[in-house]
Amino acid sequence: MNGFKNAGLSERLSAAAGAKKALLDKFKAQPGVNDPIFAEREEARRAVRVAREAREAERNAAREARKAAEQEALQAEQAERAAREALAAQEIAEQAKRQVATAAEAKAARDARYAARKARSR
């Protein structure tokens, strides 16, 4: 195992300066704005962004179409339910009308029998 080095202040300062210089050299080695590699990367990023936006727009359009179809189906179902309820209400009203007519006929028949019985007894 290596022994611990007691570095002096000047050695530490020179090591720090070397590290800063290495970092600066690394930064300067990167391509600049006018570099063709930079332009290619930027164009690739732009293409990816455009493709992403297109996919997102497509997903949104599909989502809106699906919502519209669901809403349309719901409205059709509600209209069908309302038609069935109206038909049921109409049938109930006709049945009530028939019951009233039947009751009226029965009352008329009862009244006629009562009148005939009264007429016979006089």
Side-chain angles (χ1 to χ4, degrees):
M1 185 154 129
N2 295 336
F4 181 73
K5 283 174 93 179
N6 286 331
L9 178 62
S10 61
E11 289 176 6
R12 288 190 309 235
L13 287 176
S14 67
K20 284 182 185 179
K21 185 174 182 331
L23 205 63
L24 184 62
D25 289 341
K26 182 180 175 186
F27 179 72
K28 285 183 180 180
Q30 290 180 349
V33 176
N34 297 329
D35 194 22
I37 296 173
F38 181 80
E40 287 177 16
R41 283 189 201 153
E42 194 61 31
E43 187 61 33
R45 286 185 190 124
R46 190 175 297 117
V48 168
R49 187 174 342 122
V50 167
R52 183 182 308 124
E53 289 172 356
R55 286 191 310 267
E56 185 177 343
E58 186 178 320
R59 280 194 303 267
N60 288 341
R63 185 180 307 124
E64 291 299 323
R66 188 171 51 248
K67 282 183 182 179
E70 288 174 359
Q71 187 69 21
E72 199 172 295
L74 181 63
Q75 288 175 348
E77 182 181 327
Q78 289 174 346
E80 183 181 335
R81 185 181 311 127
R84 275 187 274 142
E85 289 175 358
L87 184 61
Q90 183 180 5
E91 288 177 3
I92 290 172
E94 288 175 1
Q95 185 178 11
K97 188 190 277 186
R98 282 193 303 267
Q99 285 177 348
V100 167
T102 305
E105 288 175 6
K107 184 177 183 328
R110 259 193 330 269
D111 290 347
R113 285 193 308 268
Y114 179 72
R117 197 170 43 238
K118 283 291 192 179
R120 271 186 298 201
S121 65
R122 286 187 195 199

